[in-house]
Amino acid sequence: MRPNIVVTKAGPRKTTRMRRLAKSPVMLNWMYLPALLLFAVFIYYPFFRGLLISFTDWDGYSQMFHYIGIDNYKRMLSDSRVHTVIINTLIYGLGSTLFQNIIGLLYALLLNKHGKGRTFVRVIVYIPAIVSPIIMGYIWYFLLQYNGGAINDIITAFAGHPVNLLGDPKVNVWIIMVVNTYQFLGVAMMIFLSGLQGISKDYYEAAEIDGASTMNRFFNITFPLLAPALTTSIILNLIGGLKLFDVIAALTNGGPGYASASLSTMMYQLYFARQDAGLAASLGNLMFLLITVISLTSLYFLRRKELSQ
Amino acid sequence: MKQRKRTIIYTVIGLFVALVHIIPFYILLTVSFKDMRDMSSKWAFPGYWFTGNFISAWQNAHLDRAFLNTGVITVLSVALILIFGSLAAFPLARYQSKLNKWVYGIFVSALIVPPLTILVPLYKFFVDIGFMNTYFGIVLLHVTFQLSMAIFLYTSFIGTIPRELDEAAMIDGATKTGMFFRIIMPLLKPVTATIVIMNANSIWNDYQFSLFFLQKPDSRTITVALSSFFGENSAQIGWIAAGSLLAAIPSILVYILLQKYFVDGIAAGAVKG
C-alpha cells in the first residue's frame, strides 16, 4: 500500500497550493464551527451574562437595575430557606444515587443469567426511564394524593385515616427522592447489566476450581470489574438528581413554602413568581458550582479507585 | 437440581419485581378509563371502557396542536443534531491536535452543566432577540444542549473506523471533506440510530425548556399543555391521566420495538466512562 501513495503524490497531477490546503487537517476544523458557534451563543454567552446579573438587583423585566456587589450572595447564604433547599437538593442528588445504584446492582445480578422471563422484567423496570419526568410526577400524584390516592387507600384500610404524604415537609422530600429513584433505577440496572456481560467467564471458572464462595466471587471478581460501570452510573444519577425539577413541579411545586423545593424549582419561582432575577441568577450560579464540584470530585475519586484495582 | 431450584427462585423474585414496578402504570390505566362520577378506589379496574376522559383531554388541552408542535420540534432538532454532531466529531476524532483536544473538552464539559443553571440570562437573551415562542429558538436550544452527547458518541465511534479507509480514499484523490461525506458518513448508521432514539426521546419528553420558552397556547408542547391543564383542573384527574397516557404511549411503543438502541446508548457510556 505504502509505495502506491508515494507514487500517486509524486505523479504528474498538479498539486497547487489550493489543493494542498484542501487536503490539510486544519481545513477540517470548519466542520466543528457550527457546533462551537451554538455553544458560544447559547451556553457560554448566557453563562457570563448570568454572572453579571447575579451582581444586580434586576427584577427580570424592567430596563432599570443597579449593581449591588455581592449582596445577592450574602442574602442567599444567610437565608434559612436557601439552606433547606440546598439540603433538599443534596437529598435528591445523593439519596437517589445511593438507592438507584444499590437496587440497580441487585436487579442486574438478579436478571443477568438465571430465571425465566428476565428480559420481560428488564423492560418493565426500564420503561419509567423513557416516560417524561413531569408525566411520571402526575402518575405518582394519583398514588400519593390525600383524597382517594391509591397509597392512601391502603393506609386508610390499616390506620383508619389517610396521611398527608405530599403536604408534610417531613416526608414529602423523601417521597420525591423515592419517585426519582423509581423512575431512573432502570438506567443503573442497564449499565450494570452491560458491565456484567463484559466480564469473562474464565474468572469465575478459575474461582470455582479454587473453591471460592459465592460471596467471595462477588467481592473479588464481579464488584471490582464493575468499577467503570459504577462510575458511569453514579455520575449520571448524581447529575440527574441534583438538577431535579419536573417531579417536584408535579407533586408539591416545592411547597409548602420552599420546604420541598430543589435549587432548580426555587430558582424558577424566584424568577417568574417573585421577580427577583438577581437572586435567581445567584442561585443558578450556586447550583452550577454545586453540581460541578460534586460530580468532578466523585469522578476523580471513582477513577482513581478504578486505576488502583 | 441446585440449578433448577435457583432458576425457580430467580424467576419468582423477578416477577415480583416486575409486579411492583408496574403498579404506577396500572393505576394510570384505571384512572384513565374510569368515569369521574365513579368514586371507587383507584385500585379497582372499571368494569367498563369509558373513553370520555380521552375525548375531553384531547379537546380541552388542545392536544392535537400540542402533538404537532412536539413532533415538529423533535424532528427538526434531531436532524440538526445529527448534521452538526457528525460534522464536529470527524476532525476531533481524526486530527488530535492540541487545539482540537481543547475543543473536544469544551463540547464534552457541557455534559455536566444543566441548562437550568443559566435560566435567567438565557430567558433574557431569548426575549431580547425575539426567540420566545418560536420553533426556531427552542430547536436551537435543544440542539445545543444535546450536541455534547452526540459529539461524544460520534467521536468515539469514528475512532473505531480503520484509518486505512481514509488512506484509500486519499489515493483516489478525495479531499478530506469529500472523504467524510463519501466514506465515513455511510458507516455511521448504527451509532446514528442510537443518537436518534436517545435524543428524540428526551426532546419529546422535555418539560423545562418548553415551559420557559413556549408560553403561548399555540406553541405549547404536550408536557406544557398537560401541566397547564393540571393547574387549572386538578380536580379532573381522569383527563390528566388520559392525556398523560396518550403522551407516554409513543415513547413506550418505540422503546419496546427498538430496545437495542436504547441499551446501546447507555452501554456506550458504561464502557467508555
Side-chain angles (χ1 to χ4, degrees), chain A residues 23 28 31-32 46 49 58 107 114 116 126 130 132 138 145 148 150 153 182 191 245-246 267-268 271, chain B residues 6 10-11 21 24 41-43 87 95 100 116 121 123-124 176 201 205 207-208 212 227 255 266 269:
Chain A
K23 287 196 174 187
L28 278 182
M31 293 172 102
Y32 56 59
R49 186 106 181 249
W58 188 47
Y107 281 11
H114 311 283
K116 292 197 164 39
Y126 189 71
I130 55 150
S132 174
Y138 295 146
Q145 71 187 123
D153 280 355
Y182 162 81
I191 293 174
F245 181 91
D246 301 29
M267 177 172 64
Y268 172 72
Y271 189 27
Chain B
R6 184 152 71 172
Y10 275 50
T11 309
H21 278 260
S41 166
K42 291 188 171 63
W43 292 99
L87 273 180
Y95 303 99
N100 286 5
L116 254 172
Y123 187 86
K124 169 149 178 53
K176 301 251 175 190
N201 186 241
N205 285 342
Y207 174 60
Q208 291 167 21
F212 307 144
S227 75
Y255 168 61
I266 303 167

Side-chain angles (χ1 to χ4, degrees), chain A residues 136-202:
Chain A
M136 189 49 67
Y138 295 146
I139 296 176
W140 277 85
Y141 181 79
F142 308 142
L143 284 125
L144 297 163
Q145 71 187 123
Y146 185 73
N147 287 317
I151 290 178
N152 260 322
D153 280 355
I154 296 179
I155 295 177
T156 311
F158 285 98
H161 57 84
V163 176
N164 193 356
L165 295 167
L166 293 177
D168 182 350
K170 277 204 241 29
V171 288
N172 60 11
V173 176
W174 299 98
I175 288 175
I176 290 169
M177 191 271 284
V178 169
V179 173
N180 183 50
T181 304
Y182 162 81
Q183 182 166 19
F184 294 107
L185 192 55
V187 176
M189 176 189 74
M190 287 296 188
I191 293 174
F192 287 128
L193 275 171
S194 68
L196 284 175
Q197 268 139 30
I199 301 178
S200 160
K201 279 200 183 94
D202 300 353

Side-chain angles (χ1 to χ4, degrees), chain A residues 1-2 5 8 13 19 22-25 28-32 34-36 38-39 41-47 49-50 53 58 107 109-110 114-116 120-128 130-132 134-136 138-143 145 148-150 153-154 182 185 187 190-191 194 228-229 232 239 243 245-246 249-250 264 267-268 271-272 277 280-281 284 287-288 291-292 295-296 303, chain B residues 3 6-7 10-11 13-14 17-18 21-25 27-28 41-43 84 87-88 90-92 95 99-100 103 106-107 109-110 112-114 116-126 128 131 140-141 143-145 147-148 151 167 170-171 173-177 180 201 205 207-208 211-212 215 223 226-227 230 237 240-241 244 247-248 251-252 255 259 262-263 266-267 269-270 272-273:
Chain A
M1 276 322 249
R2 275 276 151 202
I5 298 173
T8 319
R13 215 179 274 169
R19 198 174 184 88
K23 287 196 174 187
S24 89
L28 278 182
N29 293 354
W30 72 265
M31 293 172 102
Y32 56 59
L36 210 53
L38 283 175
F39 270 60
V41 174
F42 293 112
I43 299 182
Y44 290 96
Y45 168 69
F47 179 77
R49 186 106 181 249
I53 294 176
W58 188 47
Y107 281 11
L109 293 170
L110 175 75
H114 311 283
K116 292 197 164 39
F120 167 75
V121 183
R122 285 182 205 166
V123 169
I124 297 293
V125 173
Y126 189 71
I127 278 181
I130 55 150
V131 172
S132 174
I134 186 83
I135 287 175
M136 189 49 67
Y138 295 146
I139 296 176
W140 277 85
Y141 181 79
F142 308 142
L143 284 125
Q145 71 187 123
D153 280 355
I154 296 179
Y182 162 81
L185 192 55
V187 176
M190 287 296 188
I191 293 174
S194 68
T232 311
I239 296 171
K243 68 174 187 193
F245 181 91
D246 301 29
S264 319
M267 177 172 64
Y268 172 72
Y271 189 27
F272 288 109
M287 186 174 148
F288 170 77
I291 295 183
T292 315
S295 33
L296 288 185
R303 277 268 184 273
Chain B
Q3 192 66 34
R6 184 152 71 172
T7 306
Y10 275 50
T11 309
I13 302 177
V17 165
H21 278 260
I22 220 166
I23 286 174
F25 289 93
I27 300 289
L28 176 67
S41 166
K42 291 188 171 63
W43 292 99
F84 293 157
L87 273 180
F90 183 59
L92 297 177
Y95 303 99
L99 172 73
N100 286 5
V103 173
I106 288 177
F107 286 135
S109 67
I112 294 180
V113 186
L116 254 172
T117 60
I118 52 171
L119 168 67
V120 178
L122 203 55
Y123 187 86
K124 169 149 178 53
F125 182 46
F126 258 51
D128 287 349
F131 272 11
L140 287 184
L141 271 190
V143 173
T144 309
F145 280 93
L147 256 179
S148 293
I151 291 175
E167 284 167 16
M170 295 274 282
I171 294 166
T175 61
K176 301 251 175 190
T177 314
F180 171 74
N201 186 241
N205 285 342
Y207 174 60
Q208 291 167 21
L211 174 70
F212 307 144
Q215 296 179 338
T223 49
L226 283 177
S227 75
F230 189 66
I237 290 292
I240 295 152
S244 299
S251 310
I252 295 177
Y255 168 61
Q259 281 173 54
F262 282 86
V263 177
I266 303 167
K272 301 266 163 27

